[in-house]
Amino acid sequence: MSERDPMVHIRMSAELRESLQEKAREANRSMNAEIVLRLETSLSPYSPVPLLIAGSGDISSPEQELVGMWRSMDSEARHAFWLLARRLSGTNPPEI
């Protein structure tokens, strides 16, 4: 990130801020880096977040476990996982 990147000021609850601070601290990142990473991840074509936001009711325990695994992966692991899942499901992986 450069100093020329635009700055954005947002409001959030104290609880959300504390949660983000804790996650950033655990990952040894700044708050800014944590927020940017989470936003980039949620907008990635490989992210399960849009599916969860769209909501099709409750998700099962195995689905929750997969989401938890996904969230613990870095972007390279997520990409590999996505390609493997697409191959196993019989769909063609996206061209990247």
Side-chain angles (χ1 to χ4, degrees):
M1 217 164 277
S2 82
E3 293 198 17
R4 288 189 233 162
D5 288 335
M7 290 181 58
V8 177
H9 299 277
I10 61 170
R11 294 185 191 274
M12 67 180 78
S13 69
E15 294 83 16
L16 178 58
R17 183 173 169 44
E18 289 170 16
S19 184
L20 284 167
Q21 282 178 320
E22 181 181 328
K23 295 298 182 183
R25 196 172 20 259
E26 288 172 5
N28 218 13
R29 285 191 277 271
S30 68
M31 271 280 282
N32 186 76
E34 185 69 23
I35 292 168
V36 169
L37 174 68
R38 288 171 177 271
L39 287 171
E40 286 175 342
T41 299
S42 71
L43 297 171
S44 165
Y46 308 111
S47 174
V49 174
L51 297 175
L52 296 175
I53 292 172
S56 57
D58 295 331
I59 62 172
S60 68
S61 290
E63 290 168 325
Q64 289 175 0
E65 185 177 354
L66 284 170
V67 170
M69 290 167 50
W70 180 269
R71 289 178 176 166
S72 70
M73 295 178 193
D74 62 21
S75 61
E76 189 174 316
R78 286 180 177 181
H79 181 68
F81 184 82
W82 179 261
L83 293 175
L84 177 62
R86 295 283 306 252
R87 176 165 286 161
L88 291 173
S89 70
T91 59
N92 294 324
E95 293 296 322
I96 294 181

